[in-house]
Amino acid sequence: MSMKIIGTGSALPTKKLENEELTKLVDTSDEWIRERTGIGARHISTGETVADLAADACRKALENAGREASEVELLLVATCSPETEIPCTACQVQKMLGAGNAVAFDLNAACSGFLFALNTVYAYLTAGIYRNALIAGTEVLSKIIDWTDRGTCILFGDGAGAVMVEQCVEGGMMGFVQHSDGSKGNVLACGSRKLENPWFLEKDFVPYVRMDGREVFSFAVRQVPASIEEALGKSGITVDDVDLFVLHQANRRIIESIAQRLKADISKFPINLDRVGNMSSAAIPVLLDELNSQGKLIPGMTLVLSGFGAGLTYGACVIKW
Ligand code: UT7
């Protein structure tokens, strides 16, 4: 038994923030951002919540799959920027969709969140526990960004992507790997809420994203190709058998370097970060939905999905579309 994606959807906030507008906030330039990251614009919430965006993306994924919300058995939301600590985002999305028969919960693995959610769902579906699932990656990172820090505020964007998956007998997910290295947690971190009770007041608390960009960069270009090779090995295929590498969209130079290390043609690496920036757990499903709606995902194609980011976390999976 395996699992296949039968529908995709995505949603972006209305406001588009071009690089030029950022030059009014911090000491940067359109040229620097494009050259060092490949990013030209990103969408920023002006009120849309992670749940709003996820519900919108999920509705489209359901419609694309030809399924009703009431049919969904498992609703898993990957996010590292939830609107509320409780209830979890997935339960809010469940209510918005009317997916009353689903069990709903969140998963946080930062930029690897969607990939880890997909792998988690695979385990549930192939164990026969549920027959289908709706998976969303959704972020409003603009609320955890320090808008005075030019090293991070130029990178991130808000948005959501979703996929509907169900059990299948042939094709679908062929193999996956996932890894975590908690010892490097400090290179990309963000505090959640200060410990502030009558007995203790936390000082030196940073509720915004802090990142050692160079560390994250070198981690990604070393570990991602290795994990992709590992997932391909588990699936019994090689780099040459892959039609498309749908990678987490963090930096164009990271993607180019990964392609080079894998000795794969860069044309097999679709990129949308020029328009949407780094949307953490929403990056992969939004890109998948773009490819799907453009008719670029043809049945029988072999896809590699790979996520990497804070934790540190990283992994890859191989899918026969
Ligand atoms: O999902 C995972 C999340 N994170 C990532 O993927 C981040 C991975 N890392 C990166 O993408 C890159 O490291 C960055 C894009 C964040 C930075 O690029 P870099 O080539 O590694 O630049 P750097 O940090 O080494 O900085 C080079 C220079 C510095 O100036 P000095 O010290 O050489 O004078 C920075 O202060 O560029 C400066 N700089 C900027 N200049 C203009 C840093 N940010 C900016 C900026 N505009 N926005």
Side-chain angles (χ1 to χ4, degrees), residues 76-135:
L76 190 49
V77 171
T79 183
C80 60
S81 55
E83 183 72 12
T84 55
E85 303 283 348
I86 42 177
C88 66
T89 305
C91 283
Q92 296 171 52
V93 175
Q94 177 191 30
K95 182 180 169 191
M96 290 168 167
L97 295 177
N101 296 315
V103 60
F105 60 94
D106 289 2
L107 180 155
N108 176 2
C111 302
S112 308
F114 176 78
L115 187 86
F116 283 19
L118 199 67
N119 296 342
T120 302
V121 165
Y122 176 77
Y124 273 112
L125 266 54
T126 54
I129 298 168
Y130 302 112
R131 288 168 299 180
N132 67 44
L134 194 50
I135 310 165

Side-chain angles (χ1 to χ4, degrees), residues 2 28 32 35 62 84 86 88 91 107 114 126 129 147 149 166 180 182-183 208 210 216 224 239 250 253 291 310 314:
S2 189
T28 190
W32 192 96
E35 233 170 59
L62 282 169
T84 55
I86 42 177
C88 66
C91 283
L107 180 155
F114 176 78
T126 54
I129 298 168
W147 288 95
D149 175 15
E166 68 183 20
S180 304
S183 71
Y208 300 110
R210 287 283 177 263
V216 179
V224 175
V239 167
R253 289 187 297 133
L291 294 166
Y314 56 103

Side-chain angles (χ1 to χ4, degrees), residues 42-74:
R42 70 291 288 145
H43 288 255
I44 297 292
S45 169
T46 53
E48 299 97 335
T49 69
V50 281
D52 293 334
L53 294 168
D56 197 359
C58 283
R59 272 186 209 105
K60 291 173 184 163
L62 282 169
E63 195 186 331
N64 184 235
R67 297 289 185 273
E68 298 294 329
S70 58
E71 294 175 60
V72 178
E73 297 187 359
L74 172 61

Side-chain angles (χ1 to χ4, degrees), residues 221-281:
V221 299
R222 252 182 303 115
Q223 302 290 8
V224 175
S227 67
I228 290 175
E229 295 273 17
E230 197 188 343
L232 290 172
K234 274 193 164 184
S235 310
I237 62 170
T238 68
V239 167
D240 293 337
D241 299 318
V242 179
D243 295 298
L244 285 177
F245 294 85
V246 181
L247 302 194
H248 172 52
Q249 303 284 298
N251 184 317
R252 173 181 279 276
R253 289 187 297 133
I254 292 178
I255 295 171
E256 286 167 351
S257 176
I258 292 169
Q260 220 169 31
R261 285 180 189 227
L262 288 171
K263 297 189 176 62
D265 197 304
I266 189 67
S267 65
K268 289 184 172 181
F269 292 72
I271 289 180
N272 67 355
L273 61 79
D274 50 323
R275 288 171 282 116
V276 295
N278 178 347
M279 297 186 293
S280 192
S281 65

